[in-house]
Every structure is written in C-alpha cells, then in structure tokens.
Amino acid sequence: MSTADTPATPIPQIEVVEARRRQLAGALLIDVRDDGERAAGSPDGAIGMSCAQLPQAIAALASPEREVLLICLSGWRSLRAAQDLRARGYQRIASVAGGYGHWLAAGLPLQAGGLDVDAQDRYARQLCLPEIGGAGQARLAAARVALIGAGGLGAPAALYLAAAGVGTLALIDDDRVERSNLQRQVLHTDARVGLPKVESARMTLAALNPGVQIVTHAVRVQADNVEALLDGYDAVIDGADNFPTRYLLAAASLRLQWPLVYGAVERFSGQVSVFDPRRADSPCYRCLFPEPPAAADAPNCAEAGVLGVLPGVIGLLQATEALKLLLGIGKPLVGRLLLFDALAMRFRELLLPRDAACPGCGAAAHFSGYEDLARLCAAAG
Ligand SMILES: [Zn+2]
C-alpha cells in the first residue's frame, strides 16, 4: 500500500473496550471473519462481512468520512482489511486488537449468529464458499423442495439435498420397496423391502440430517391432488417413471409457478433440463414433448432396463440445479437439454427454446383441467 518515498502511517489498533465506546458513539464495527466463523456469534451491532467481500461491499456500508472499526478473530485479518480500506480512501480506520477473542474475554455484548453450532460444523465446507456463506445457508434452510418419486432419481437427489440443509423435503411416492429397486434406489435397504418407499426414505434422510423436515405422501400424483400436494414449494424434482405424472407436473409448474427440474433415464443414457415458468424465456416440459408418446414407444425401467449408476448421475445433476435455483447462483439449465451417454461417457447439450406453438405454454395454449391431461395420456397409452 506504500511506496518507498511515502511510508504508510500505521493503522491504529484499539482495545475492545475502546472499540465498543466508539461503536456506541457512531462508528461502524465490521466483523471481517468468514460467514462460518460468525455463525456462532458476533459482537453486538457488528456488520458481518468477510475480507473477501469487503472491497466490493464497503461503499454501500459506509462513506469514506465515517469511522470504521474492523474486528476479526485475533487482529491480523482486520489489520490487513484496514490497510485495504485506507487504500480505498477511508481515513478514519482502526483495527480491534485481540479481535473477537478479546471481545469475548472482556464480556462485551454479543449478537447471535444465524446458525447453531451443529449447522456451523455440518455445513462448514459450503459456508466457506462466498457464493453460499451464512446467507445462502439460511436460504437453503428456509427452502421447500418436493421430490416426485423416492426411486432412482429421487434417491440421490433427496440424499444430497438433505445433506446440504434444504429445510423441508416432501417425498411423494405410492410404491413399496422391492428388492429389484436396490440396484439403484440408494435411499432404501435390504431390510426395508416391503415398507412404503416414503417411509424408508424418511428413515434414511432423518438419520443423515435430523435438522431437515421430511414430509411424506404415500400417494400417486393425480389430477385431483396435484395442486394440493405441490402448492407452496420453491422447486419440484421430477423423478417420475410415467408420462401421466409428467404431464400433470408440467401443467402444475405453469399454474403454480415453481421451477420443474426434469430428469429421465433409460438403459445407458439420461437427460436433464429445468423448466422455470418464472422466466419468460423458459420452455416448459411440453415444448420438449408436446404430446404423450404411445406406451410402446416409451418403455419404463422395468421394461427397458437401466444401468444402476445412471439415475445416480442424473439425479445428482437435478439436485445440483435445484440447489442453484434455491441459492440464486450460477446459470440454470433453462432452455438447454443436457444429454448423457454413459457408454460413450459423453455429455451433449441441445438448445431447447420456448415453442410458440406449445400446447402447454404457447400463445394458443388452453388449460382445460388436469383431468383432460390424464385422459390425453390414457388415450396415448
Ligand atoms: Zn411449452
């Protein structure tokens, strides 16, 4: 920060009691520890802003004339941050000597962090990502995701969404665990053959992350329950194994305005996309499949077979897209269809633009009720 002929004035370092006095007199106290460190608590009234975030954020927090005090764990990071702020024109800067450790030791007042000790530890490897941090973890905790099917796609997706701390997961599946499921549906165990899949799934997910609320519906998604089941969710993972369910989900996504994270597998290949009706440029499921295929053209896993790891790959891509949507980060797979070929080990991406003539979301599209969609699929089958 200095050149040879203009040595920098040392950054003032003040004791915690003096920092508190100045804070009460109007100085801004910034806790520059990382989100994960602050989660367990922070000095009362301090703004939490990591060293990495501070350069971009400081202008919105304080004018260069305002007195700014920086605190970290021991005093070293705050000193460096102070030097950085001075270089940006902030002159009334001080670093708190001894940092949060001295603040605690002095018995000065604290404010609670947003995460308890379990969460701080459990999510440490993602709390340290600037794109997630404490704020992102709070978004995940408040999020509600519904999974259609606790089978091949739903199993890996549910495991990782629960592990990541998505606050509420709804599992909707009317099947029971069969031994032939265990080759790929990794939520279930041999001892649970015969149990309802949603109950088996609840046991596994609760054991993995007791902080997640698991809602179970041992029913099939149908015309008369689809909206009641799926209203109020932030995202829905499509792990359905039949076309009638997929067409009902497509319509519900448009009407209830949640993003549908689509995935499908067969034999050695799979595909993924995101249909997000909150975006004007997003296609819907029926832009891809305008009408249900005849049953003979659409064999399911029981008929066509599937490599066991395949739904693992595709289900985790769906979970990845869901997490991005919940966090508002990255570029979602909207308007793109991702194809995976396991034998060639190749991913391909097709552009999937919105279809103006789509019977689901096009200009002339008309919704005449879920019963009509069920009849449409029955007629095709
Ligand atoms: Zn459409």
Side-chain angles (χ1 to χ4, degrees):
M1 298 301 159
S2 61
T3 62
D5 53 353
T6 54
T9 315
I11 299 288
Q13 297 193 60
I14 58 174
E15 298 300 324
V16 289
V17 174
E18 172 64 9
R20 179 64 174 170
R21 189 193 66 74
R22 292 193 195 182
Q23 183 195 18
L24 293 175
L28 178 67
L29 180 63
I30 302 179
D31 185 342
V32 297
R33 292 176 302 152
D34 294 335
D35 288 354
E37 298 177 87
R38 285 196 308 274
S42 185
D44 178 53
I47 300 289
M49 184 67 57
S50 73
C51 289
Q53 298 164 320
L54 193 59
Q56 287 81 38
I58 186 62
L61 292 174
S63 67
E65 294 74 40
R66 183 158 182 201
E67 182 173 21
V68 178
L69 314 174
L70 300 155
I71 188 167
C72 65
L73 183 61
S74 65
W76 288 107
R77 277 176 289 175
S78 59
L79 196 55
R80 286 205 306 275
Q83 288 162 346
D84 190 33
L85 289 191
R86 177 180 277 169
R88 291 168 191 275
Y90 289 78
Q91 294 304 316
R92 301 176 64 203
I93 295 282
S95 170
V96 180
Y100 186 61
H102 281 200
W103 189 281
L104 280 176
L108 289 167
L110 305 174
Q111 59 191 5
L115 297 170
D116 61 19
V117 174
D118 176 286
Q120 187 190 351
D121 199 10
R122 181 181 298 267
Y123 306 121
R125 297 300 180 278
Q126 63 194 41
L127 286 169
C128 62
L129 298 172
E131 294 82 357
I132 300 181
Q137 198 63 50
R139 289 181 77 155
L140 293 181
R144 295 164 53 81
V145 173
L147 295 110
I148 311 304
L153 296 169
L159 279 168
Y160 275 84
L161 293 177
V166 172
T168 302
L169 291 177
L171 304 166
I172 302 165
D173 197 314
D174 68 336
D175 282 342
R176 289 177 179 269
V177 179
E178 297 176 18
R179 191 155 278 110
S180 67
N181 299 150
L182 302 178
Q183 165 247 22
R184 63 200 179 283
Q185 300 182 15
V186 294
L187 277 170
H188 312 302
T189 67
D190 191 73
R192 297 192 207 139
V193 169
L195 271 189
K197 281 189 183 174
V198 293
E199 176 57 16
S200 168
R202 189 195 59 72
M203 293 162 76
T204 299
L205 298 172
L208 172 62
N209 190 345
V212 172
Q213 193 191 351
I214 310 293
V215 179
T216 59
H217 300 284
V219 299
R220 193 176 184 83
V221 172
Q222 288 177 317
D224 61 0
N225 67 10
V226 58
E227 288 208 355
L229 284 171
L230 295 176
D231 197 11
Y233 283 91
D234 298 304
V236 174
I237 306 260
D238 175 3
D241 60 357
N242 64 86
F243 281 97
T245 299
R246 291 197 194 270
Y247 279 81
L248 293 174
L249 294 179
S253 165
L254 292 170
R255 288 170 54 81
L256 301 176
Q257 292 283 297
W258 34 248
L260 180 61
V261 184
Y262 160 73
V265 291
E266 183 192 31
R267 292 163 54 81
F268 299 99
S269 63
Q271 50 187 249
V272 193
S273 193
V274 173
F275 307 114
D276 190 346
R278 301 169 302 177
R279 286 175 51 159
D281 63 340
S282 174
C284 78
Y285 175 75
R286 296 186 72 181
C287 293
L288 178 60
F289 297 112
E291 305 296 338
D297 300 333
N300 60 27
C301 285
E303 295 156 358
V306 65
L307 184 69
V309 295
L310 217 283
V313 173
I314 299 298
L316 287 189
L317 290 172
Q318 291 177 279
T320 307
E321 288 302 296
L323 289 174
K324 284 162 55 189
L325 290 168
L326 299 176
L327 291 164
I329 61 173
K331 187 178 178 209
L333 200 56
V334 170
R336 299 180 286 150
L337 180 67
L338 185 66
L339 304 173
F340 174 56
D341 176 345
L343 289 181
M345 194 46 77
R346 183 173 295 148
F347 285 92
R348 282 193 303 142
E349 188 181 302
L350 303 180
L351 283 181
L352 181 61
R354 191 168 171 191
D355 178 4
C358 170
C361 71
H366 171 67
F367 179 73
S368 55
Y370 293 103
E371 292 292 351
D372 267 13
L373 287 168
R375 274 194 291 273
L376 185 71
C377 291

